[in-house]
Amino acid sequence: MDEQLRKPEDEQNTNQDDSYSFMNETVKKRPLPVGKYLIRALEIIASACLFGLVAGLVFMHVTARNDKTVTITSDEEPVSLETAASESAAESAATVTPTPVPQPMTAEEKQQQTLDDYEQQNRAVYAVAETAMQSVVGVTGYSDATGWLSGNDPTSSSVSGLLVASTDSSMLVLVDYRSLSSAATLMVTFADGTVTNGTLVREDPTTELAVLSVPTSSLSASTLASCTAASLGNSYNVTAGDGVIAIGSPMGYSNSVAYGEITSTDNLVSVTDGEFSLLTTDMQGSTSGTGVLVNLDGQVVGFVMQKYAASGTSTVTGVAISYLKSLIETLSNNEAISYMGIRGQDVSASLSGSTGVPEGVYVNSVDAGSPALAAGLAAGDVITDMDGTDITTMRALHNRLVNLKPGDEVTVTVRRKGTDGYKKFEFTITLGELK
């Protein structure tokens, strides 16, 4: 009994001894969780492989894409028919024996070659015309505001216009406005057949040219994508003999195309405060034809205005586009056109030497009620200077006026002939507005 009672005590003493002997024991390190680290390592390796795979695919995609966009094809110089024929002859010569014997062509072969060349030329011309036509629109004016709905307005008139510029809100169209000035409604037809309203921005009373505005909000995305402002070329580079394409309605019918040559570039038309150079062609057109002249690069070099064609003829005639650029800009921006009121002609150095008339602009006439007349200018005066700038041509005078506004004052120096020769006079002119 006593032993049984003492036994728990003995066990208790033994446990107490064990509890105080921990300083003498070796502390064992906690076993590493090998399984956990192994799983983590496998996860890292898998992620790296996946990343590498994705990176490789992306690199391959980017490399392939860059190859396509970075590849640049060298431009080839245009080959004329004569050059193509000579190159073909050279290739043929390279393949024959060292002592070639030319083989005469039969009449049928010559005829076929001529036809092939003609067909090739026509295809090239019409390809240029087709692209340029994207900048040409039809404009119809109706005297009745609702007449366009029925299409039976007997007083309607149609012309071809040219898209010359665009803004965020509108497309701007240059037109010969003389047959549209009394219209109550203007409808513009684009190359894809879309028809919408146009409104007058400003007209030039001297040339009767005007710029119309068509809101882009009235045009679909596809129509906007299919039309573009025309590329206006440098008509100063045009010479007699150059090939040109007349598009629009030069023959009186819309969407027509004709091909011909420039016959003259040195004919001038005198207008108030300026002059324009005419491009005449060998193409027969309508006396009421409208449209544009395009060079073989697809650039507009002339705006067809048949009212300037030689009397008694109907050859397609256009105003050189370089002479119109400043006017187009002014009309497109709805800016007032400054007005002095003279018509004149150039007196070149050679003409001055042979006639004794001073070099400058000879005043043929002064408009009644014009600022020039009010200031004292008269027919027969020779303008030589404007605000300290030499004026030797009507073109120079026009360019000077373009940069001025109605109400501006200019000092004009002239030479006026008297009993004892030409004397110098100065006049101060307050420019008006051409209306």
Side-chain angles (χ1 to χ4, degrees):
M1 179 75 176
D2 292 337
E3 291 178 358
Q4 290 177 350
L5 292 174
R6 286 196 297 268
K7 186 174 181 181
E9 183 178 356
D10 292 340
E11 290 178 357
Q12 182 179 358
N13 291 337
T14 302
N15 291 337
Q16 288 177 351
D17 291 340
D18 290 343
S19 66
Y20 287 103
S21 64
F22 73 91
M23 293 296 294
N24 296 324
E25 293 178 357
T26 301
V27 179
K28 295 183 179 180
K29 294 183 178 180
R30 192 173 185 176
L32 293 174
V34 178
K36 180 178 181 180
Y37 279 104
L38 181 59
I39 293 173
R40 179 60 178 164
L42 291 175
E43 289 177 347
I44 294 174
I45 293 172
S47 299
C49 292
L50 179 61
F51 177 81
L53 177 61
V54 173
L57 292 174
V58 171
F59 177 78
M60 291 174 61
H61 174 70
V62 171
T63 302
R65 184 180 62 189
N66 286 343
D67 285 343
K68 289 183 179 180
T69 57
V70 172
T71 301
I72 301 174
T73 304
S74 300
D75 295 330
E76 295 184 3
E77 294 184 10
V79 179
S80 65
L81 293 178
E82 292 182 359
T83 303
S86 63
E87 289 179 353
S88 177
E91 291 176 358
S92 299
T95 59
V96 296
T97 59
T99 56
V101 177
Q103 299 296 321
M105 297 177 64
T106 64
E108 291 77 6
E109 289 174 335
K110 289 181 180 180
Q111 182 180 15
Q112 185 60 48
Q113 184 180 41
T114 300
L115 292 174
D116 290 343
D117 290 345
Y118 181 76
E119 185 178 359
Q120 180 182 356
Q121 176 179 300
N122 276 350
R123 283 199 298 265
V125 167
Y126 281 94
V128 173
E130 184 177 12
T131 300
M133 286 288 281
Q134 300 303 310
S135 302
V136 176
V137 299
V139 181
T140 303
Y142 296 92
S143 59
D144 180 357
T146 60
W148 64 275
L149 290 171
S150 62
N152 296 321
D153 188 346
T155 57
S156 64
S157 58
S158 298
V159 298
S160 290
L162 181 69
L163 294 172
V164 290
S166 62
T167 67
D168 292 337
S169 60
S170 62
M171 301 291 290
L172 300 175
V173 181
L174 180 69
V175 294
D176 186 345
Y177 199 63
R178 57 180 173 153
S179 62
L180 302 172
S181 58
S182 61
T185 303
L186 297 171
M187 303 303 296
V188 180
T189 304
F190 286 80
D192 67 348
T194 298
V195 181
T196 187
N197 280 89
T199 57
L200 175 67
V201 177
R202 185 174 285 271
E203 178 193 5
D204 171 32
T206 297
T207 61
E208 297 181 287
L209 292 174
V211 166
L212 310 180
S213 173
V214 177
T216 53
S217 59
S218 66
L219 302 173
S220 66
S222 61
T223 298
L224 290 172
S226 67
C227 65
T228 181
S231 173
L232 304 181
N234 184 351
S235 58
Y236 295 121
N237 295 331
V238 177
T239 60
D242 287 352
V244 287
I245 308 167
I247 60 177
S249 51
M251 286 71 186
Y253 299 96
S254 60
N255 299 319
S256 58
V257 178
Y259 175 71
E261 294 182 354
I262 296 292
T263 57
S264 175
T265 62
D266 54 7
N267 293 307
L268 298 174
V269 172
S270 177
V271 297
T272 301
D273 297 334
E275 66 180 7
F276 299 109
S277 174
L278 296 180
L279 302 180
T280 61
T281 74
D282 59 358
M283 293 176 280
Q284 292 297 314
S286 168
T287 55
S288 59
T290 56
V292 294
L293 297 176
V294 179
N295 64 19
L296 298 185
D297 292 324
Q299 299 174 324
V300 175
V301 293
F303 194 79
V304 175
M305 299 187 73
Q306 291 297 85
K307 70 176 183 179
Y308 293 131
S311 177
T313 68
S314 59
T315 55
V316 176
T317 302
V319 176
I321 201 67
S322 293
Y323 284 72
L324 296 177
K325 287 182 178 180
S326 60
L327 176 61
I328 293 171
E329 180 178 315
T330 299
L331 296 176
S332 298
N333 293 321
N334 196 15
E335 296 175 348
I337 302 173
S338 57
Y339 170 58
M340 189 168 75
I342 68 106
R343 288 177 182 254
Q345 65 184 78
D346 302 348
V347 179
S348 63
S350 59
L351 184 59
S352 175
S354 61
T355 63
V357 178
E359 184 178 357
V361 171
Y362 182 86
V363 178
N364 290 321
S365 64
V366 181
D367 292 353
S370 66
L373 185 65
L377 264 68
D381 289 344
V382 181
I383 299 174
T384 60
D385 181 279
M386 183 181 291
D387 284 341
T389 301
D390 290 341
I391 301 296
T392 56
T393 63
M394 279 298 296
R395 183 68 176 158
L397 184 145
H398 175 78
N399 289 340
R400 176 65 181 148
L401 291 177
V402 165
N403 296 317
L404 299 173
K405 300 183 181 302
D408 288 347
E409 288 188 349
V410 293
T411 301
V412 176
T413 303
V414 305
R415 297 292 193 275
R416 178 173 292 176
K417 189 175 183 179
T419 55
D420 52 352
Y422 284 91
K423 289 187 177 181
K424 177 180 176 181
F425 292 89
E426 288 188 352
F427 301 92
T428 300
I429 302 175
T430 301
L431 299 177
E433 180 180 348
L434 188 60
K435 296 181 180 180

